[in-house]
Amino acid sequence: MLKQYLIVAYAYLVKTGKWILEPIEGDTRNVVPEEYRQVVAEYIASSRS
């Protein structure tokens, strides 16, 4: 079960550049857990409009 407050928190961290959605070779930033990636991406996309 995904927690809404974590979706919002991960989205904030991704938007500010502190975390990333997908792992990138050589990048040392934290990565959003796999089970949250899709919903965080959707949350970010919906909050931009």
Side-chain angles (χ1 to χ4, degrees):
M1 176 178 213
L2 301 179
K3 299 186 185 307
Q4 183 65 32
Y5 74 94
L6 286 177
I7 296 169
V8 175
Y10 289 139
Y12 173 79
L13 291 168
V14 169
K15 284 184 193 180
T16 59
K18 300 212 183 283
W19 283 45
I20 53 178
L21 269 176
E22 297 284 334
I24 300 171
E25 188 175 333
D27 198 325
T28 59
R29 290 180 286 177
N30 290 325
V31 179
V32 173
E34 189 171 348
E35 62 270 14
Y36 281 90
R37 289 181 192 158
Q38 181 67 36
V39 292
V40 169
E42 290 171 2
Y43 180 85
I44 291 171
S46 70
S47 67
R48 289 185 184 208
S49 45

